[in-house]
Amino acid sequence: MPMVISFLILLTMMASVPNCLSQDTASPSVADKDSKDKNHAEKGADSSAKPPGQERMFGIMPAYGLVEAGMQPPPLTSGQKFKLAVQYLNPYTFAFVAAEAGINQARNSPSEYGQGAEGYGKRYGAGFADGLIDGILVTGVYPSVFHQDPRYYRLGDGTFSHRTGYAVSRILVTRQDSGRRAFNISEIMGSFTSSAIGVTYYPKSQRDFSDVAERAGIQFAFDAGFNVLKEFYPDIERKLFGRKGKR
């Protein structure tokens, strides 16, 4: 059931991308110079969402939505935000969800799923649905509705504690498409909404408000931790592999 829900949501999202792109396309009456400038800006947005050499951390973990320190890319269109959300579907995600399902299988959580292949399949489906729905809402839907930028902007300089605090705080502070700072309502609303949707496929023992809040809290912690990794990965790369990361 969770996999079916995820597939239907994915199809809806994929269908909405062309509409978002068409809405963001300039009118044919716009001057050639403006059209060229817009094309250049869109290319810049794409490159900042998936910067060269930083697509994957440690060669496996996706670092999508990462903007290097000092860069000021143009805002993403709604279509580009949904494309960023689609990047959730990658080999690392499938492997991570498989490991998570294995841990929950060993803990027998939720117990209603039982054991064996069927129990593991239910846990895998629930975990995959959680991540996919959260990614669509946090990166695509709410940022488009509230005109917020779902990318992570590296600080790059400063003390360890300052950069860590900055990275963690990005789940509460973000940028509007205009560039000004704002409360990250996309993260908060997206995580709570996806956790609430989970009551449609989790067993009865996992449907209380406390369970919804717990799943949202876990998502906040995961996103904050991933931000910290994005912030420090270039430094880790230089230390471990001797590569010159961007500052």
Side-chain angles (χ1 to χ4, degrees), residues 37-98:
D37 289 341
K38 180 176 182 296
N39 290 335
H40 182 270
E42 288 182 348
K43 289 180 180 179
D46 283 334
S47 63
S48 66
K50 197 173 183 180
Q54 292 290 340
E55 292 87 351
R56 294 188 180 278
M57 297 180 288
F58 304 106
I60 55 172
M61 298 178 67
Y64 52 85
L66 173 63
V67 178
E68 287 295 341
M71 289 184 63
Q72 295 295 330
L76 297 176
T77 64
S78 295
Q80 289 168 333
K81 291 172 184 177
F82 276 97
K83 284 183 178 179
L84 199 58
V86 171
Q87 291 184 31
Y88 172 82
L89 301 173
N90 63 81
Y92 167 79
T93 299
F94 294 112
F96 179 85
V97 174

Short mmCIF file of all heavy atoms in Angstrom, two decimals, residues 37-98:
data_model
loop_
_atom_site.label_atom_id
_atom_site.label_comp_id
_atom_site.label_asym_id
_atom_site.label_seq_id
_atom_site.Cartn_x
_atom_site.Cartn_y
_atom_site.Cartn_z
N ASP A 37 19.11 36.29 -21.40
CA ASP A 37 19.43 36.46 -19.99
C ASP A 37 18.69 35.43 -19.15
O ASP A 37 19.23 34.88 -18.18
CB ASP A 37 19.07 37.87 -19.50
CG ASP A 37 20.00 38.93 -20.08
OD1 ASP A 37 21.09 38.54 -20.54
OD2 ASP A 37 19.61 40.11 -20.07
N LYS A 38 17.42 35.17 -19.50
CA LYS A 38 16.63 34.20 -18.75
C LYS A 38 17.21 32.81 -18.90
O LYS A 38 17.31 32.05 -17.94
CB LYS A 38 15.18 34.23 -19.24
CG LYS A 38 14.28 33.24 -18.49
CD LYS A 38 12.85 33.39 -18.97
CE LYS A 38 11.95 32.43 -18.18
NZ LYS A 38 12.27 31.04 -18.42
N ASN A 39 17.60 32.44 -20.15
CA ASN A 39 18.18 31.13 -20.37
C ASN A 39 19.47 30.96 -19.59
O ASN A 39 19.75 29.90 -19.03
CB ASN A 39 18.46 30.92 -21.87
CG ASN A 39 17.18 30.77 -22.67
OD1 ASN A 39 16.16 30.37 -22.13
ND2 ASN A 39 17.25 31.09 -23.96
N HIS A 40 20.27 32.00 -19.56
CA HIS A 40 21.52 31.95 -18.80
C HIS A 40 21.24 31.78 -17.31
O HIS A 40 21.92 31.03 -16.61
CB HIS A 40 22.31 33.24 -19.05
CG HIS A 40 23.64 33.26 -18.34
ND1 HIS A 40 23.79 33.76 -17.06
CD2 HIS A 40 24.86 32.79 -18.70
CE1 HIS A 40 25.04 33.65 -16.68
NE2 HIS A 40 25.72 33.05 -17.66
N ALA A 41 20.22 32.47 -16.82
CA ALA A 41 19.87 32.38 -15.40
C ALA A 41 19.38 30.98 -15.05
O ALA A 41 19.72 30.44 -14.00
CB ALA A 41 18.79 33.41 -15.06
N GLU A 42 18.57 30.38 -15.95
CA GLU A 42 18.06 29.05 -15.68
C GLU A 42 19.20 28.03 -15.65
O GLU A 42 19.21 27.12 -14.84
CB GLU A 42 17.02 28.66 -16.73
CG GLU A 42 15.71 29.43 -16.57
CD GLU A 42 14.67 29.00 -17.59
OE1 GLU A 42 15.06 28.28 -18.54
OE2 GLU A 42 13.51 29.37 -17.44
N LYS A 43 20.19 28.20 -16.56
CA LYS A 43 21.32 27.30 -16.56
C LYS A 43 22.10 27.44 -15.26
O LYS A 43 22.59 26.48 -14.69
CB LYS A 43 22.23 27.58 -17.75
CG LYS A 43 21.62 27.16 -19.09
CD LYS A 43 22.57 27.45 -20.24
CE LYS A 43 21.95 27.04 -21.58
NZ LYS A 43 22.85 27.36 -22.70
N GLY A 44 22.22 28.69 -14.79
CA GLY A 44 22.91 28.94 -13.54
C GLY A 44 22.20 28.28 -12.38
O GLY A 44 22.83 27.73 -11.47
N ALA A 45 20.87 28.32 -12.41
CA ALA A 45 20.10 27.70 -11.33
C ALA A 45 20.28 26.20 -11.34
O ALA A 45 20.41 25.57 -10.30
CB ALA A 45 18.61 28.05 -11.49
N ASP A 46 20.29 25.59 -12.54
CA ASP A 46 20.48 24.16 -12.63
C ASP A 46 21.85 23.75 -12.11
O ASP A 46 21.99 22.77 -11.40
CB ASP A 46 20.32 23.69 -14.09
CG ASP A 46 18.86 23.64 -14.51
OD1 ASP A 46 18.01 23.48 -13.63
OD2 ASP A 46 18.59 23.78 -15.71
N SER A 47 22.89 24.52 -12.48
CA SER A 47 24.23 24.16 -12.08
C SER A 47 24.42 24.30 -10.58
O SER A 47 25.15 23.55 -9.95
CB SER A 47 25.27 25.02 -12.82
OG SER A 47 25.12 26.39 -12.47
N SER A 48 23.73 25.29 -9.98
CA SER A 48 23.88 25.47 -8.53
C SER A 48 23.12 24.40 -7.77
O SER A 48 23.47 24.05 -6.65
CB SER A 48 23.38 26.86 -8.12
OG SER A 48 21.99 26.98 -8.33
N ALA A 49 22.05 23.88 -8.39
CA ALA A 49 21.28 22.82 -7.73
C ALA A 49 22.04 21.50 -7.74
O ALA A 49 21.85 20.66 -6.90
CB ALA A 49 19.93 22.64 -8.40
N LYS A 50 22.92 21.34 -8.72
CA LYS A 50 23.71 20.11 -8.83
C LYS A 50 25.10 20.49 -9.30
O LYS A 50 25.46 20.28 -10.46
CB LYS A 50 23.04 19.15 -9.81
CG LYS A 50 23.54 17.70 -9.67
CD LYS A 50 22.72 16.80 -10.56
CE LYS A 50 23.15 15.35 -10.39
NZ LYS A 50 22.37 14.45 -11.25
N PRO A 51 25.92 21.12 -8.45
CA PRO A 51 27.20 21.67 -8.84
C PRO A 51 28.19 20.62 -9.30
O PRO A 51 28.22 19.52 -8.75
CB PRO A 51 27.69 22.37 -7.56
CG PRO A 51 27.01 21.64 -6.46
CD PRO A 51 25.67 21.24 -7.01
N PRO A 52 29.01 20.92 -10.30
CA PRO A 52 30.00 19.97 -10.80
C PRO A 52 30.95 19.53 -9.68
O PRO A 52 31.43 20.34 -8.89
CB PRO A 52 30.74 20.78 -11.87
CG PRO A 52 29.77 21.83 -12.29
CD PRO A 52 29.02 22.18 -11.04
N GLY A 53 31.21 18.23 -9.60
CA GLY A 53 32.14 17.71 -8.61
C GLY A 53 31.54 17.52 -7.23
O GLY A 53 32.20 16.99 -6.34
N GLN A 54 30.31 17.96 -7.01
CA GLN A 54 29.70 17.85 -5.69
C GLN A 54 28.37 17.11 -5.75
O GLN A 54 27.56 17.22 -4.84
CB GLN A 54 29.48 19.25 -5.10
CG GLN A 54 30.77 19.99 -4.75
CD GLN A 54 31.49 19.36 -3.56
OE1 GLN A 54 30.89 18.64 -2.78
NE2 GLN A 54 32.76 19.61 -3.43
N GLU A 55 28.13 16.38 -6.86
CA GLU A 55 26.86 15.69 -6.98
C GLU A 55 26.70 14.62 -5.92
O GLU A 55 25.60 14.40 -5.43
CB GLU A 55 26.71 15.05 -8.37
CG GLU A 55 26.57 16.04 -9.51
CD GLU A 55 27.91 16.49 -10.05
OE1 GLU A 55 28.94 16.16 -9.42
OE2 GLU A 55 27.94 17.16 -11.09
N ARG A 56 27.81 13.97 -5.55
CA ARG A 56 27.73 12.91 -4.55
C ARG A 56 28.84 13.05 -3.53
O ARG A 56 29.98 13.34 -3.88
CB ARG A 56 27.81 11.53 -5.23
CG ARG A 56 26.60 11.24 -6.11
CD ARG A 56 26.61 9.82 -6.61
NE ARG A 56 25.46 9.58 -7.45
CZ ARG A 56 24.24 9.29 -6.99
NH1 ARG A 56 24.04 9.18 -5.69
NH2 ARG A 56 23.24 9.09 -7.80
N MET A 57 28.49 12.84 -2.27
CA MET A 57 29.47 12.86 -1.20
C MET A 57 29.93 11.44 -0.92
O MET A 57 29.11 10.53 -0.88
CB MET A 57 28.86 13.50 0.05
CG MET A 57 28.46 14.95 -0.15
SD MET A 57 27.72 15.73 1.33
CE MET A 57 26.11 14.92 1.40
N PHE A 58 31.24 11.27 -0.77
CA PHE A 58 31.85 9.96 -0.58
C PHE A 58 31.55 9.04 -1.77
O PHE A 58 31.61 7.83 -1.65
CB PHE A 58 31.36 9.30 0.71
CG PHE A 58 31.60 10.13 1.93
CD1 PHE A 58 30.54 10.77 2.57
CD2 PHE A 58 32.88 10.31 2.44
CE1 PHE A 58 30.75 11.56 3.69
CE2 PHE A 58 33.09 11.10 3.57
CZ PHE A 58 32.04 11.72 4.20
N GLY A 59 31.18 9.64 -2.89
CA GLY A 59 30.93 8.88 -4.10
C GLY A 59 29.58 8.22 -4.18
O GLY A 59 29.21 7.64 -5.19
N ILE A 60 28.78 8.29 -3.09
CA ILE A 60 27.49 7.60 -3.09
C ILE A 60 26.33 8.48 -2.63
O ILE A 60 25.21 8.32 -3.11
CB ILE A 60 27.54 6.34 -2.20
CG1 ILE A 60 28.00 6.70 -0.78
CG2 ILE A 60 28.45 5.28 -2.79
CD1 ILE A 60 27.90 5.55 0.20
N MET A 61 26.58 9.39 -1.68
CA MET A 61 25.48 10.17 -1.10
C MET A 61 25.19 11.40 -1.94
O MET A 61 26.10 12.21 -2.19
CB MET A 61 25.83 10.59 0.33
CG MET A 61 26.05 9.44 1.27
SD MET A 61 26.50 10.02 2.93
CE MET A 61 24.96 10.81 3.42
N PRO A 62 23.96 11.58 -2.39
CA PRO A 62 23.62 12.74 -3.21
C PRO A 62 23.71 14.04 -2.41
O PRO A 62 23.32 14.09 -1.24
CB PRO A 62 22.18 12.46 -3.65
CG PRO A 62 21.63 11.58 -2.56
CD PRO A 62 22.78 10.72 -2.13
N ALA A 63 24.25 15.07 -3.03
CA ALA A 63 24.35 16.39 -2.38
C ALA A 63 23.54 17.40 -3.19
O ALA A 63 23.94 18.54 -3.36
CB ALA A 63 25.80 16.83 -2.29
N TYR A 64 22.37 16.95 -3.69
CA TYR A 64 21.55 17.83 -4.51
C TYR A 64 21.05 19.02 -3.71
O TYR A 64 20.87 18.95 -2.51
CB TYR A 64 20.37 17.07 -5.12
CG TYR A 64 19.53 16.30 -4.13
CD1 TYR A 64 18.50 16.93 -3.43
CD2 TYR A 64 19.74 14.95 -3.91
CE1 TYR A 64 17.72 16.22 -2.53
CE2 TYR A 64 18.97 14.23 -2.99
CZ TYR A 64 17.95 14.88 -2.32
OH TYR A 64 17.18 14.18 -1.42
N GLY A 65 20.86 20.13 -4.41
CA GLY A 65 20.38 21.34 -3.75
C GLY A 65 21.46 22.06 -2.98
O GLY A 65 21.16 22.88 -2.12
N LEU A 66 22.73 21.79 -3.28
CA LEU A 66 23.84 22.43 -2.57
C LEU A 66 24.36 23.62 -3.36
O LEU A 66 24.65 23.50 -4.55
CB LEU A 66 24.97 21.42 -2.35
CG LEU A 66 26.27 21.96 -1.77
CD1 LEU A 66 26.03 22.51 -0.37
CD2 LEU A 66 27.33 20.87 -1.74
N VAL A 67 24.45 24.78 -2.71
CA VAL A 67 25.01 25.98 -3.32
C VAL A 67 26.30 26.32 -2.58
O VAL A 67 26.30 26.45 -1.36
CB VAL A 67 24.03 27.17 -3.23
CG1 VAL A 67 24.66 28.43 -3.83
CG2 VAL A 67 22.73 26.84 -3.95
N GLU A 68 27.38 26.42 -3.32
CA GLU A 68 28.67 26.68 -2.71
C GLU A 68 28.74 28.06 -2.07
O GLU A 68 28.01 28.98 -2.48
CB GLU A 68 29.79 26.53 -3.75
CG GLU A 68 30.08 25.09 -4.16
CD GLU A 68 30.65 24.26 -3.01
OE1 GLU A 68 31.14 24.85 -2.03
OE2 GLU A 68 30.59 23.03 -3.12
N ALA A 69 29.62 28.20 -1.08
CA ALA A 69 29.78 29.46 -0.36
C ALA A 69 30.15 30.58 -1.33
O ALA A 69 30.99 30.41 -2.22
CB ALA A 69 30.88 29.31 0.70
N GLY A 70 29.50 31.71 -1.16
CA GLY A 70 29.79 32.88 -1.99
C GLY A 70 28.98 32.97 -3.27
O GLY A 70 28.97 34.02 -3.91
N MET A 71 28.31 31.88 -3.66
CA MET A 71 27.53 31.90 -4.89
C MET A 71 26.15 32.52 -4.64
O MET A 71 25.56 32.33 -3.58
CB MET A 71 27.35 30.49 -5.45
CG MET A 71 28.62 29.88 -6.02
SD MET A 71 28.32 28.25 -6.76
CE MET A 71 27.19 28.68 -8.09
N GLN A 72 25.67 33.26 -5.61
CA GLN A 72 24.34 33.87 -5.55
C GLN A 72 23.58 33.50 -6.82
O GLN A 72 23.41 34.33 -7.72
CB GLN A 72 24.45 35.39 -5.40
CG GLN A 72 25.10 35.86 -4.12
CD GLN A 72 24.28 35.52 -2.89
OE1 GLN A 72 23.05 35.44 -2.95
NE2 GLN A 72 24.94 35.29 -1.77
N PRO A 73 23.13 32.26 -6.92
CA PRO A 73 22.44 31.82 -8.13
C PRO A 73 21.06 32.44 -8.25
O PRO A 73 20.48 32.88 -7.25
CB PRO A 73 22.34 30.31 -7.95
CG PRO A 73 22.26 30.14 -6.47
CD PRO A 73 23.17 31.20 -5.91
N PRO A 74 20.52 32.46 -9.46
CA PRO A 74 19.15 32.97 -9.64
C PRO A 74 18.15 32.03 -8.99
O PRO A 74 18.46 30.87 -8.71
CB PRO A 74 18.98 32.99 -11.16
CG PRO A 74 19.94 31.95 -11.65
CD PRO A 74 21.12 32.02 -10.73
N PRO A 75 16.95 32.51 -8.70
CA PRO A 75 15.94 31.66 -8.05
C PRO A 75 15.52 30.50 -8.94
O PRO A 75 15.58 30.60 -10.17
CB PRO A 75 14.78 32.62 -7.79
CG PRO A 75 14.95 33.70 -8.81
CD PRO A 75 16.43 33.87 -8.97
N LEU A 76 15.12 29.42 -8.32
CA LEU A 76 14.61 28.27 -9.06
C LEU A 76 13.17 28.51 -9.47
O LEU A 76 12.39 29.11 -8.73
CB LEU A 76 14.67 27.01 -8.19
CG LEU A 76 16.05 26.51 -7.74
CD1 LEU A 76 15.87 25.31 -6.82
CD2 LEU A 76 16.92 26.13 -8.92
N THR A 77 12.82 28.02 -10.63
CA THR A 77 11.41 28.04 -11.03
C THR A 77 10.70 26.89 -10.31
O THR A 77 11.34 26.01 -9.72
CB THR A 77 11.27 27.85 -12.54
OG1 THR A 77 11.76 26.53 -12.89
CG2 THR A 77 12.08 28.89 -13.31
N SER A 78 9.38 26.89 -10.37
CA SER A 78 8.62 25.80 -9.75
C SER A 78 9.01 24.46 -10.36
O SER A 78 9.16 23.46 -9.64
CB SER A 78 7.12 26.04 -9.92
OG SER A 78 6.70 27.19 -9.22
N GLY A 79 9.18 24.43 -11.67
CA GLY A 79 9.57 23.19 -12.33
C GLY A 79 10.91 22.68 -11.85
O GLY A 79 11.11 21.48 -11.66
N GLN A 80 11.86 23.59 -11.64
CA GLN A 80 13.19 23.19 -11.17
C GLN A 80 13.14 22.68 -9.74
O GLN A 80 13.91 21.79 -9.36
CB GLN A 80 14.16 24.36 -11.30
CG GLN A 80 14.52 24.67 -12.75
CD GLN A 80 15.23 25.99 -12.91
OE1 GLN A 80 15.06 26.92 -12.11
NE2 GLN A 80 16.04 26.10 -13.95
N LYS A 81 12.24 23.22 -8.94
CA LYS A 81 12.10 22.74 -7.56
C LYS A 81 11.58 21.30 -7.55
O LYS A 81 12.02 20.47 -6.76
CB LYS A 81 11.17 23.66 -6.77
CG LYS A 81 11.76 25.04 -6.51
CD LYS A 81 10.76 26.00 -5.89
CE LYS A 81 11.35 27.39 -5.74
NZ LYS A 81 10.38 28.37 -5.20
N PHE A 82 10.63 21.01 -8.44
CA PHE A 82 10.12 19.64 -8.52
C PHE A 82 11.18 18.70 -9.08
O PHE A 82 11.27 17.54 -8.67
CB PHE A 82 8.85 19.59 -9.38
CG PHE A 82 7.61 19.95 -8.62
CD1 PHE A 82 7.08 21.22 -8.67
CD2 PHE A 82 6.96 19.00 -7.84
CE1 PHE A 82 5.94 21.56 -7.97
CE2 PHE A 82 5.81 19.32 -7.13
CZ PHE A 82 5.30 20.61 -7.19
N LYS A 83 12.00 19.18 -10.01
CA LYS A 83 13.09 18.35 -10.52
C LYS A 83 14.08 18.02 -9.41
O LYS A 83 14.63 16.93 -9.36
CB LYS A 83 13.82 19.08 -11.66
CG LYS A 83 13.06 19.08 -12.98
CD LYS A 83 13.89 19.76 -14.06
CE LYS A 83 13.18 19.72 -15.41
NZ LYS A 83 13.97 20.39 -16.46
N LEU A 84 14.30 18.98 -8.53
CA LEU A 84 15.18 18.76 -7.39
C LEU A 84 14.59 17.69 -6.47
O LEU A 84 15.30 16.83 -5.95
CB LEU A 84 15.36 20.07 -6.63
CG LEU A 84 16.56 20.19 -5.68
CD1 LEU A 84 17.87 19.96 -6.43
CD2 LEU A 84 16.55 21.56 -5.02
N ALA A 85 13.26 17.73 -6.29
CA ALA A 85 12.59 16.74 -5.44
C ALA A 85 12.70 15.34 -6.04
O ALA A 85 12.85 14.35 -5.31
CB ALA A 85 11.13 17.12 -5.26
N VAL A 86 12.66 15.24 -7.37
CA VAL A 86 12.73 13.94 -8.04
C VAL A 86 14.07 13.26 -7.79
O VAL A 86 14.18 12.04 -7.84
CB VAL A 86 12.47 14.11 -9.55
CG1 VAL A 86 12.76 12.82 -10.31
CG2 VAL A 86 11.02 14.52 -9.79
N GLN A 87 15.11 14.05 -7.48
CA GLN A 87 16.43 13.47 -7.25
C GLN A 87 16.47 12.59 -6.00
O GLN A 87 17.48 11.93 -5.74
CB GLN A 87 17.48 14.58 -7.16
CG GLN A 87 17.72 15.27 -8.48
CD GLN A 87 18.83 16.32 -8.41
OE1 GLN A 87 19.77 16.18 -7.63
NE2 GLN A 87 18.71 17.36 -9.20
N TYR A 88 15.37 12.58 -5.24
CA TYR A 88 15.26 11.63 -4.13
C TYR A 88 15.37 10.19 -4.64
O TYR A 88 15.86 9.30 -3.93
CB TYR A 88 13.92 11.83 -3.42
CG TYR A 88 13.61 10.77 -2.37
CD1 TYR A 88 14.15 10.87 -1.09
CD2 TYR A 88 12.78 9.69 -2.67
CE1 TYR A 88 13.87 9.91 -0.12
CE2 TYR A 88 12.50 8.72 -1.71
CZ TYR A 88 13.04 8.83 -0.45
OH TYR A 88 12.76 7.87 0.49
N LEU A 89 14.94 9.99 -5.87
CA LEU A 89 14.96 8.64 -6.45
C LEU A 89 16.35 8.36 -7.02
O LEU A 89 16.66 8.67 -8.17
CB LEU A 89 13.90 8.55 -7.56
CG LEU A 89 12.47 8.82 -7.11
CD1 LEU A 89 11.53 8.88 -8.32
CD2 LEU A 89 12.00 7.76 -6.12
N ASN A 90 17.20 7.78 -6.20
CA ASN A 90 18.56 7.43 -6.63
C ASN A 90 19.00 6.18 -5.88
O ASN A 90 18.39 5.80 -4.87
CB ASN A 90 19.51 8.60 -6.35
CG ASN A 90 19.62 8.93 -4.89
OD1 ASN A 90 20.36 8.27 -4.15
ND2 ASN A 90 18.88 9.95 -4.42
N PRO A 91 20.05 5.50 -6.35
CA PRO A 91 20.47 4.24 -5.73
C PRO A 91 20.75 4.35 -4.23
O PRO A 91 20.45 3.43 -3.47
CB PRO A 91 21.75 3.89 -6.50
CG PRO A 91 21.55 4.52 -7.84
CD PRO A 91 20.82 5.80 -7.56
N TYR A 92 21.31 5.47 -3.79
CA TYR A 92 21.62 5.63 -2.37
C TYR A 92 20.34 5.56 -1.54
O TYR A 92 20.31 4.93 -0.47
CB TYR A 92 22.33 6.96 -2.12
CG TYR A 92 22.39 7.32 -0.65
CD1 TYR A 92 23.34 6.73 0.18
CD2 TYR A 92 21.49 8.23 -0.09
CE1 TYR A 92 23.39 7.05 1.54
CE2 TYR A 92 21.54 8.55 1.26
CZ TYR A 92 22.49 7.96 2.07
OH TYR A 92 22.53 8.26 3.40
N THR A 93 19.28 6.21 -2.02
CA THR A 93 18.02 6.21 -1.29
C THR A 93 17.48 4.79 -1.12
O THR A 93 17.06 4.40 -0.03
CB THR A 93 16.97 7.07 -2.02
OG1 THR A 93 17.44 8.41 -2.11
CG2 THR A 93 15.64 7.05 -1.29
N PHE A 94 17.49 4.02 -2.21
CA PHE A 94 16.97 2.65 -2.14
C PHE A 94 17.78 1.82 -1.14
O PHE A 94 17.21 1.03 -0.38
CB PHE A 94 17.00 2.01 -3.52
CG PHE A 94 16.07 2.65 -4.51
CD1 PHE A 94 16.57 3.35 -5.60
CD2 PHE A 94 14.70 2.59 -4.35
CE1 PHE A 94 15.72 3.96 -6.51
CE2 PHE A 94 13.83 3.19 -5.25
CZ PHE A 94 14.35 3.88 -6.33
N ALA A 95 19.10 2.02 -1.13
CA ALA A 95 19.95 1.27 -0.20
C ALA A 95 19.72 1.72 1.24
O ALA A 95 19.66 0.90 2.16
CB ALA A 95 21.42 1.46 -0.58
N PHE A 96 19.58 3.03 1.43
CA PHE A 96 19.37 3.57 2.78
C PHE A 96 18.04 3.07 3.35
O PHE A 96 17.97 2.65 4.51
CB PHE A 96 19.37 5.10 2.74
CG PHE A 96 19.12 5.74 4.09
CD1 PHE A 96 20.18 5.95 4.96
CD2 PHE A 96 17.84 6.12 4.47
CE1 PHE A 96 19.96 6.54 6.22
CE2 PHE A 96 17.61 6.70 5.72
CZ PHE A 96 18.68 6.91 6.59
N VAL A 97 16.99 3.10 2.54
CA VAL A 97 15.68 2.64 3.00
C VAL A 97 15.72 1.15 3.30
O VAL A 97 15.10 0.68 4.26
CB VAL A 97 14.59 2.95 1.94
CG1 VAL A 97 13.25 2.33 2.35
CG2 VAL A 97 14.43 4.45 1.78
N ALA A 98 16.47 0.39 2.50
CA ALA A 98 16.60 -1.05 2.74
C ALA A 98 17.26 -1.31 4.09
O ALA A 98 16.83 -2.20 4.85
CB ALA A 98 17.41 -1.69 1.62
#
